[in-house]
Amino acid sequence: MKKVLVTGGTGLVGKALEAFIKKEGPTDEEWYFAGSKDADLTNLAATQSLFAKEKPTHVIHLAAMVGGLFHNMNNNLDFLRNNLLINDNVLQTAHEQGCTKVVSCLSTCIFPDKTTYPIDETMVHNGPPHPSNYGYSYAKRLIDIQNHAYNDKYGRLYTSVIPCNIFGPHDNYKPEVSHVIPGMINRMHKLITEQADTPESEKVFTVFGSGKPLRQFIYSLDLAELMIWVLRSYDSVEPIVLSVDEAQEVTIFEVAQAIATAFEFKGKLVCDTSKADGQYKKTASNAKLRSLLPEYTFTDFETAIKTSVEWYRSNYEQARK
């Protein structure tokens, strides 16, 4: 019997994993989704006690201190120290308690700031990350270094995945920390609610920036399915990018259009070019994933957006906002 412990198990990806496991039905695995109420993972004794209680054979490590751009810029030291503590506590405790496999979640934002595109798994350490989030980025990069070190010294199969931008039900919609999709969903819902009596043709939704930057987005349920495949079948310490195909890249304006369609919003979409765009593109290559899973079909972007908007509307009271 496998016992899988998911750290950070109550967030966007944890909830998607839980939904996928429920849908899949009985397997030879028992799953435990740990949230911050279960243990403060920056504390070694608390981490050890969680592992001693749950006795996992496998770990999916999602827990991290995360935040939006502004939050990161002002707190690089905290992001560095807290994430170093969390990652070291989880990996070392997993090793001490004999866990067979750990799959940790990295992010495409940890790649070098100055790079060629598309980015792939071999390029993570090729130069400094973007200065705005270097604390978070270096802490995440060190998971890959540590995985290799556990393998070199003890033969451990501790590995990592690098997803592109994730969205879906149970996202974080708080304006100060939200990413682009949950941020837009929250703002459009607010506009529709507050301007219920305004004629449709007079309603205006603002897209921050030019709307031109390109991004790859992965639906959280697809990511969950792929992470479970990594847990069960991917037997390499080397990280693997979990991203939609390069052809599935969309502009920020297309994201706004998809959200407007899901809300049946008939007003105008206007780009506010006084707001910063960020990087024009961060294209990631999923060639490695495709070489192993050539037939995998990602959920259609518009369909996934529709499901995410419906979840937000139905769960508005409980949503993190």
Side-chain angles (χ1 to χ4, degrees):
M1 184 75 173
K2 278 193 219 165
K3 173 71 184 276
V4 187
L5 171 67
V6 181
T7 70
T10 56
L12 171 66
V13 182
K15 288 291 185 191
L17 284 165
E18 196 172 356
F20 187 83
I21 291 300
K22 272 193 186 125
K23 192 180 88 179
E24 194 182 39
T27 60
D28 65 341
E29 298 159 351
E30 187 189 332
W31 289 70
Y32 185 79
F33 296 87
S36 48
K37 290 187 180 72
D38 288 272
D40 170 9
L41 298 176
T42 61
N43 179 299
L44 179 59
T47 308
Q48 288 169 331
S49 128
L50 173 67
F51 274 71
K53 181 166 151 274
E54 297 305 328
K55 300 185 173 52
T57 57
H58 294 65
V59 178
I60 291 184
H61 175 38
L62 306 173
M65 178 185 177
V66 293
L69 178 70
F70 186 69
H71 194 196
N72 263 307
M73 282 165 70
N74 296 318
N75 294 287
N76 271 299
L77 178 63
D78 296 353
F79 278 92
L80 179 71
R81 294 191 63 234
N82 287 322
N83 286 308
L84 285 173
L85 286 168
I86 290 169
N87 299 336
D88 187 58
N89 290 344
V90 167
L91 290 173
Q92 179 59 17
T93 305
H95 165 64
E96 286 171 359
Q97 304 220 3
C99 293
T100 310
K101 192 166 180 181
V102 179
V103 178
S104 296
C105 196
L106 310 185
S107 159
T108 46
C109 75
I110 72 173
F111 277 91
D113 181 33
K114 295 182 173 50
T115 187
T116 53
Y117 293 97
I119 44 185
D120 68 39
E121 297 84 354
T122 64
M123 298 156 76
V124 172
H125 304 287
N126 285 359
H130 193 273
S132 66
N133 69 339
Y134 69 86
Y136 175 83
S137 298
Y138 277 118
K140 282 288 190 187
R141 284 184 185 189
L142 281 168
I143 290 180
D144 176 48
I145 303 292
Q146 205 162 347
N147 285 342
H148 279 85
Y150 279 111
N151 185 260
D152 291 345
K153 188 166 184 178
Y154 300 111
R156 288 286 186 211
L157 182 52
Y158 295 174
T159 190
S160 60
V161 299
I162 309 174
C164 58
N165 300 283
I166 314 159
F167 72 98
H170 299 276
D171 215 326
N172 191 338
Y173 305 88
K174 292 176 182 166
E176 66 279 7
V177 296
S178 69
H179 292 113
V180 61
I181 290 179
M184 275 198 210
I185 289 175
N186 185 21
R187 289 195 300 114
M188 194 169 283
H189 183 268
K190 196 173 173 206
L191 185 147
I192 291 167
T193 314
E194 288 175 359
Q195 300 187 16
D197 301 329
T198 309
E200 283 293 328
S201 58
E202 290 174 25
K203 290 177 185 169
V204 176
F205 179 78
T206 308
V207 178
F208 296 159
S210 70
K212 289 174 184 167
L214 291 157
R215 292 292 180 269
Q216 286 157 302
F217 292 99
I218 188 167
Y219 184 43
S220 58
L221 275 298
D222 291 350
L223 178 62
E225 185 175 7
L226 291 170
M227 285 188 81
I228 289 165
W229 167 78
V230 168
L231 184 76
R232 293 172 184 164
S233 308
Y234 176 75
D235 291 331
S236 166
V237 176
E238 298 298 336
I240 183 166
V241 166
L242 300 182
S243 170
V244 296
D245 305 320
E246 290 170 55
Q248 291 171 283
E249 222 169 19
V250 289
T251 67
I252 298 301
F253 194 74
E254 286 169 330
V255 173
Q257 287 175 315
I259 292 171
T261 303
F263 272 112
E264 297 178 348
F265 175 76
K266 307 279 192 296
K268 285 195 191 73
L269 301 177
V270 176
C271 296
D272 176 2
T273 51
S274 71
K275 293 256 192 316
D277 265 346
Q279 280 172 273
Y280 174 64
K281 62 186 222 169
K282 301 178 181 181
T283 319
S285 164
N286 68 359
K288 184 180 193 170
L289 173 67
R290 281 293 179 211
S291 72
L292 299 165
L293 286 181
E295 302 301 313
Y296 186 80
T297 310
F298 290 94
T299 305
D300 170 72
F301 181 67
E302 281 78 12
T303 308
I305 287 285
K306 196 169 190 312
T307 311
S308 305
V309 165
E310 281 165 5
W311 183 87
Y312 182 74
R313 292 174 105 162
S314 309
N315 298 275
Y316 181 75
E317 294 309 321
Q318 301 94 272
R320 294 180 285 172
K321 58 188 186 300

